[in-house]
Amino acid sequence: MQALALPALLERVTDTLDPDRELAERFRSGDRSAFDAIVRRHQKGVWRMVRRYVRHDADAFDVTQQVFVRAFKGLASFRGAATVRSWLYRIAINCALSWLRDHRREQPAEIAEDSLTAMPVAPANIASDQDGTRLRAAIAQLPPKQKLVLELRVFDDLSFKEVAELADCSENTAKVNFHYAVKRLRDILGGPDAR
Amino acid sequence: MRDDPELDTDDRALIDKLRALPPEGNEPDWDQLAAAIRAEVGDHAPRPWWRNWRWIVPIWALATTATVALIVLRHERPAPPTHEHAHKIQRDPGVSAKPAPAMWLDGEELDLDDVDEPALDELDLEARAALSPEEDVTGGILPVADYGWIDTLDDDAIERAEDWLKRKRS
């Protein structure tokens, strides 16, 4: 009885850890609509992650599309060692870095063309925008590993396990990097200004 | 993250601020993005390449096992004769169903079944006495299948045997 119950329990635990597991299984068995469900669930997160690397919205759109095309081709052989989300984000990071390599010279240093067509900022939001700009500038000063871990943890809301998988390090190293990143951000922003 | 004991109040406040930041850029139309992805990947779920070949390994293993088993069994014992083989053995001219003649004496076939036992014993004793009168022969005098013993007889023995045969004829 217990022997029968244990695998079912383990499967339930795994499903809880990775809610996309069932969708991936359905896709593997030929259900095309399962992939659409994965796209709808993760396109926003993938786009936001890609957008942190790629400056233009249109480019982020293309790279996101490329991420899901790669995922579509690879999902059938996805073994489930990681969660589908962290697997997708890994593809997203690789695609974004690859895109950056290919378009290094085309990336404007400061002014993105999207900023010209972006929604005008209301006067009430000026202060918070300045605050946001300062925060983003502070994040940009972090060492690459700390920046990656902080962004994955704070903006993408990934678990430390998933962050570790994406950052190619142990869970403990991810935690340490995260705490260093937070302390360093506070140092950069200065004591009272950070509040 | 709220339960992280390593984070103090200021750390948590900073993290809350970071989380409250609006995402970079202007988010696209998600339906449009999903439609673009769908158009790009097509309507059919791809199958991993090994799915089409997943029966190859078990079939190959089964075929190999069957071949090895067949070779081992064929070498272990000879195949039983077939019906046709059995007929061939029966028709073999080298094997005769007719019984071999019992004995030839003076150019005539002698059927030992027709000769009465006492007469044979008497004949036997006489033959023994003729071949070696001084020797007490207890065993049979004629080897069943080998007449090589005749070459071992000396001239006297042959002469006595001939005399005995002459007396028999007369």
Side-chain angles (χ1 to χ4, degrees):
Chain A
M1 186 84 175
Q2 278 183 337
L4 285 173
L6 192 61
L9 185 69
L10 281 174
E11 197 170 330
R12 199 173 297 172
V13 168
T14 318
D15 284 347
T16 312
L17 291 174
D18 186 5
D20 303 314
R21 187 185 157 94
E22 191 205 331
L23 289 173
E25 286 294 332
R26 274 173 48 198
F27 179 74
R28 265 200 290 273
S29 55
D31 183 359
R32 168 68 179 75
S33 65
F35 185 76
D36 292 335
I38 291 174
V39 170
R40 279 193 299 274
R41 192 178 281 182
H42 293 293
Q43 61 180 354
K44 200 169 183 174
V46 169
W47 184 88
R48 283 181 177 177
M49 169 176 277
V50 169
R51 184 60 181 79
R52 289 202 297 270
Y53 290 84
V54 177
R55 285 178 178 272
H56 299 173
D57 291 344
D59 293 335
F61 187 97
D62 290 344
V63 174
T64 304
Q65 189 178 347
Q66 190 188 341
V67 169
F68 282 103
V69 170
R70 275 202 202 177
F72 184 83
K73 288 175 183 168
L75 189 57
S77 19
F78 172 65
R79 289 277 170 212
T83 59
V84 172
R85 180 170 65 165
S86 60
W87 176 71
L88 273 175
Y89 282 19
R90 160 61 63 196
I91 298 174
I93 291 172
N94 288 341
C95 283
L97 291 175
S98 171
W99 190 93
L100 283 177
R101 270 196 302 275
D102 294 345
H103 299 81
R104 202 174 291 161
R105 290 182 185 172
E106 298 169 25
Q107 282 283 307
E110 291 297 328
I111 305 169
E113 67 182 45
D114 298 323
S115 63
L116 302 173
T117 56
M119 293 289 284
V121 179
N125 293 336
I126 288 176
S128 63
D129 275 357
Q130 284 173 345
D131 212 21
T133 309
R134 279 187 64 232
L135 284 171
R136 289 192 197 286
I139 292 170
Q141 290 179 49
L142 292 173
K145 194 90 166 184
Q146 290 181 15
K147 180 173 179 283
L148 176 66
V149 169
L150 182 93
E151 286 176 340
L152 291 172
R153 183 79 177 128
V154 173
F155 298 140
D156 300 316
D157 205 21
L158 299 185
S159 67
F160 275 119
K161 188 172 183 291
E162 289 173 311
V163 171
E165 282 166 5
L166 288 170
D168 264 342
C169 62
S170 70
E171 208 171 318
N172 276 339
T173 309
K175 283 179 185 172
V176 168
N177 269 299
F178 176 74
H179 288 116
Y180 274 120
V182 173
K183 301 290 176 205
R184 186 143 186 179
L185 264 187
R186 283 181 60 192
D187 289 345
I188 293 169
L189 293 167
D193 289 344
R195 289 170 188 267
Chain B
M1 209 179 305
R2 293 253 164 223
D3 302 331
D4 194 337
E6 306 237 352
L7 295 175
D8 59 26
T9 318
D10 290 341
D11 292 337
R12 290 203 178 94
L14 178 60
I15 289 166
D16 286 344
K17 270 190 162 186
L18 291 173
R19 287 201 154 160
L21 282 176
E24 292 182 64
N26 296 311
E27 291 186 349
D29 179 347
W30 300 119
D31 289 337
Q32 193 187 343
L33 179 56
I37 291 164
R38 189 182 176 88
E40 191 71 27
V41 297
D43 290 330
H44 299 288
R47 296 164 71 86
W49 63 269
W50 48 265
R51 283 231 170 183
N52 297 329
W53 299 91
R54 67 189 185 281
W55 295 111
I56 285 292
V57 171
I59 286 173
W60 181 83
L62 194 67
T64 308
T65 310
T67 309
V68 169
L70 203 67
I71 290 168
V72 168
L73 289 175
R74 282 182 75 97
H75 277 79
E76 251 179 17
R77 60 180 177 199
T82 60
H83 186 65
E84 193 178 329
H85 189 210
H87 273 285
K88 193 180 171 188
I89 290 170
Q90 280 179 359
R91 285 197 305 269
D92 195 336
V95 181
S96 171
K98 197 178 175 184
M103 183 178 281
W104 288 87
L105 189 63
D106 293 338
E108 286 181 18
E109 185 180 348
L110 178 68
D111 191 350
L112 291 175
D113 290 337
D114 296 340
V115 182
D116 57 330
E117 292 271 330
L120 273 177
D121 290 343
E122 191 185 336
L123 197 65
D124 190 26
L125 285 171
E126 280 181 24
R128 282 187 209 175
L131 289 170
S132 55
E134 66 278 359
E135 217 173 288
D136 182 22
V137 180
T138 53
I141 59 162
L142 293 176
V144 178
D146 185 13
Y147 290 96
W149 57 274
I150 294 173
D151 294 338
T152 64
L153 295 177
D154 56 11
D155 291 341
D156 289 339
I158 291 171
E159 205 173 316
R160 283 199 303 276
E162 282 175 350
D163 288 343
W164 177 76
L165 282 171
K166 276 178 194 168
R167 280 203 309 276
K168 268 290 178 195
R169 277 188 205 132
S170 61

